[in-house]
Amino acid sequence: PHKIHNFFEYSHSQHSAAHISPMYLILPAILVGFLLPQKPFTQPIFPNGAGDGTIEILAGHDLMEQTANVFPATSTTENINMLLAATSKIDPFRNFVLPARQIKVWLPPGYNDDSNSERRYPVLYCHDGQNAMYDSDSWTGHSWRMGGALTHLLRQQLLPEAPIVVLIPSMSDDVLPGVRRRHLEYSDGIWGQAYVDAIVDNLKPRVDAAYRTKLGANNTMAIGSSLGGQAAFLSVLRHPDVFGGAAGLSPCFQAGLLSNVVMSGATLKEKSLYFDNGGDVDDIRVPLLDPFDHLPHWNPGYFWLDTQLQPGIDAMRTALSLHKVSFEYVRFPGGRHNEREW
């Protein structure tokens, strides 16, 4: 799906406090202005889990697993090898830079029915895939509930056709103390380039071999949230012949990617691009805490982050407009930066 609608309803009241010492106003001001939502919102509640679809584990757990014995000699490989002072052997590269992980695949309703045995499906590659379907798999205790959302869209006939969704999990370990692997894999540098190249060169052929996929860029999309949104856009920019579009939910666009779009954004013409975010907008602010974010699991909520990422989103809009690239951007005032919102 290229977007998930959040609906906000607002109410606001002002009270005067004449003849009250300013000291007594500090705590109420904090509670009203930060701890409690200034304007309460509601959002669609989709079911947890796979919905009407099914989830399988892709055979083999290695993102770098090859369909041939020779590792593809790409410039990214050479750069990474120089960066790590490694040899050209695949094992050190595979184990350190892009380690093995379990990749799941969401199959749409009816995929395994005999009546659909000849039917082929478009494919959506989902970064931070562990956060997309099941609350229990998500590190915050809340998922995107993509399975429920897709099921709703399909039941309402709001999607032209159902996609296969490849759920690529991010890694939670640190490469070095304080250096998260996820931040490197989803970066706009050579580590991030190696990650999206591995998806194209190694993962996608395995998916196409295992499932009835439609080939061609128009049938292959990417989606991600935060830095995963950057990875989705980098996939399209770096491999426009493979990916036909990208969606970023509260994306974190970094300087390197933005510079590449300024220089090479024309390659994104005719692509389907969507991104959105929340954050503070005018008098609508993101509350410091939202009780629903922290039940039943603690969720930091990142109340500040969508507002902080706004300059990068504005820069992306400017860079795309510079090349007259069509895109859809939606802002949800007061929206938080977490899986429950996405």
Side-chain angles (χ1 to χ4, degrees):
H2 74 284
K3 59 184 176 180
I4 298 175
H5 293 282
N6 288 340
F7 301 94
F8 295 81
E9 297 176 354
Y10 305 106
S11 63
H12 182 72
S13 61
Q14 295 180 341
H15 302 276
S16 62
H19 308 296
I20 298 178
S21 169
M23 292 299 294
Y24 291 98
L25 297 177
I26 294 177
L27 182 57
I30 292 176
L31 290 174
V32 173
F34 296 97
L35 294 181
L36 300 177
Q38 283 188 310
K39 299 184 176 182
F41 63 89
T42 59
Q43 58 187 359
I45 305 299
F46 297 113
N48 179 38
D52 291 344
T54 57
I55 292 181
E56 297 183 354
I57 297 176
L58 182 65
H61 294 173
D62 197 339
L63 184 64
M64 297 302 298
E65 184 174 321
Q66 300 294 310
T67 55
N69 293 326
V70 180
F71 189 79
T74 64
S75 59
T76 299
T77 304
E78 296 168 2
N79 288 334
I80 289 289
N81 285 337
M82 288 189 294
L83 175 68
L84 301 176
T87 67
S88 59
K89 294 181 180 179
I90 184 173
D91 288 341
F93 184 89
R94 172 193 294 163
N95 294 335
F96 182 72
V97 179
L98 297 173
R101 66 204 71 187
Q102 187 180 82
I103 296 173
K104 299 180 180 179
V105 178
W106 184 85
L107 300 177
Y111 177 88
N112 291 314
D113 292 352
D114 291 340
S115 59
N116 292 325
S117 61
E118 300 298 322
R119 182 179 177 183
R120 292 189 171 273
Y121 298 82
V123 183
L124 177 65
Y125 286 83
C126 178
H127 306 285
D128 281 322
Q130 78 280 5
N131 298 330
M133 296 281 180
Y134 282 95
D135 293 353
S136 59
D137 291 341
S138 174
W139 74 280
T140 63
H142 294 279
S143 70
W144 302 359
R145 299 201 169 183
M146 180 188 282
L150 284 170
T151 296
H152 173 77
L153 293 173
L154 291 169
R155 287 179 179 178
Q156 300 298 318
Q157 299 182 341
L158 296 176
L159 282 181
E161 55 185 337
I164 292 171
V165 184
V166 181
L167 303 168
I168 311 170
S170 57
M171 305 300 286
S172 59
D173 63 317
D174 289 350
V175 175
L176 297 171
V179 182
R180 293 189 63 188
R181 185 179 298 278
R182 175 182 180 273
H183 294 172
L184 294 175
E185 291 187 349
Y186 291 177
S187 73
D188 56 0
I190 52 178
W191 211 303
Q193 294 169 14
Y195 169 75
V196 299
D197 287 352
I199 292 173
V200 170
D201 296 334
N202 309 305
L203 178 59
K204 186 178 184 300
R206 290 164 53 201
V207 171
D208 292 337
Y211 299 99
R212 301 190 307 275
T213 63
K214 287 186 175 180
L215 303 180
N218 290 337
N219 298 304
T220 309
M221 308 289 171
I223 187 172
S225 64
S226 194
L227 276 171
Q230 174 168 259
F233 273 69
L234 180 62
S235 300
V236 181
L237 184 66
R238 189 166 175 81
H239 297 282
D241 57 326
V242 175
F243 290 95
L249 314 178
S250 301
C252 174
F253 293 135
Q254 297 176 324
L257 176 67
L258 294 169
S259 298
N260 287 335
V261 173
V262 170
M263 298 298 295
S264 308
T267 60
L268 297 176
K269 288 185 176 180
E270 309 302 326
K271 301 297 182 182
S272 298
L273 303 176
Y274 169 86
F275 48 105
D276 61 26
N277 70 322
D280 298 337
V281 180
D282 299 328
D283 62 332
I284 303 171
R285 290 181 296 180
V286 182
L288 179 62
L289 295 175
D290 184 337
F292 292 102
D293 277 341
H294 310 293
L295 298 173
H297 303 285
W298 172 255
N299 181 339
Y302 299 119
F303 69 93
W304 73 91
L305 199 45
D306 267 24
T307 303
Q308 180 180 321
L309 296 177
Q310 189 65 46
I313 289 177
D314 292 339
M316 177 63 76
R317 295 165 62 193
T318 300
L320 293 173
S321 299
L322 178 68
H323 294 282
K324 296 181 171 57
V325 174
S326 298
F327 62 91
E328 184 173 359
Y329 167 65
V330 181
R331 192 167 191 190
F332 300 106
R336 301 170 78 78
H337 189 96
N338 60 26
E339 282 71 22
R340 180 171 165 263
E341 290 288 289
W342 300 322

